[in-house]
Amino acid sequence: DTGVSQDPRHKITKRGQNVTFRCDPISEHNRLYWYRQTLGQGPEFLTYFQNEAQLEKSRLLSDRFSAERPKGSFSTLEIQRTEQGDSAMYLCASSLAQDRLRGYTFGSGTRLTVV
Amino acid sequence: AQSVTQLGSHVSVSEGALVLLRCNYSSSVPPYLFWYVQYPNQGLQLLLKYTTGATLVKGINGFEAEFKKSETSFHLTKPSAHMSDAAEYFCAVTNTGNQFYFGTGTSLTVIP
């Protein structure tokens, strides 16, 4: 068990470009979550999947954001036409559905800087 | 609706002194409460959690927290601070486990 892996760790992009992040959860976990953390704030929920189904999305997830988990394993989060306000740490977490109230395992995050 | 308030965005303690980080929650249903720690440029690590049962919960690295329903609080304590405790601490609440609501965090500095 290598934990939750996120790639890349850091991404610098120009405003207006598209970016994609990847998350590999703990292999046996069927739940995968995305959170966003801006400087000086706590993580904010974006969306979560159970297997390949996206079950809930936050209003924070604008039309420019899309997340997928096509085979119920890894997930990608894409941001189109990035804006400076998208600069943040994007955190992925995973759990078993039946253990979700025991807390998640978080990855180390992808730090996005939009210049 | 659920939310968490962490009083004190920055706390400084001397090495060996008591650590007290405050968390108050708001929840219309019985809450599940958590404390996470975050070291620079890393993800969050679970310190401890309250689900049901005993209101005093013990976690990793000598931390503990007490759920007080009457005060809607879940404060984090450690009897003796260590230099390695310097980090950002987040309190979180959920009632379904589908979505966690985090506080804004408390940065702990340990003075040698």
Side-chain angles (χ1 to χ4, degrees), chain A residues 12 16 24 48 53 57 79 86:
Chain A
I12 300 174
D24 287 88
Y48 84 89
K57 292 194 296 184
I79 309 174
D86 297 330

Side-chain angles (χ1 to χ4, degrees), chain A residues 101-103, chain B residues 33-35 46-51 57 74:
Chain A
L101 288 168
R102 297 183 182 180
Chain B
L33 295 158
F34 301 79
W35 276 98
L46 181 65
L47 271 179
L48 50 77
K49 59 184 178 286
Y50 168 78
T51 53
V57 293
F74 191 57

Side-chain angles (χ1 to χ4, degrees), chain A residues 28-86:
Chain A
E28 62 267 28
H29 285 180
N30 54 1
R31 282 274 185 107
L32 186 147
Y33 312 84
W34 285 100
Y35 281 74
R36 182 174 71 184
Q37 184 179 18
T38 53
L39 204 59
Q41 300 296 315
E44 295 174 295
F45 171 78
L46 291 178
T47 188
Y48 84 89
F49 294 83
Q50 182 157 322
N51 300 313
E52 64 275 10
Q54 188 173 20
L55 297 185
E56 192 170 340
K57 292 194 296 184
S58 163
R59 284 172 288 181
L60 290 175
L61 214 63
S62 75
D63 291 345
R64 297 184 297 105
F65 288 70
S66 63
E68 295 182 339
R69 194 183 184 198
K71 297 183 179 179
S73 56
F74 73 91
S75 175
T76 57
L77 178 66
E78 181 183 17
I79 309 174
Q80 296 183 329
R81 305 180 302 283
T82 52
E83 302 173 355
Q84 286 191 320
D86 297 330

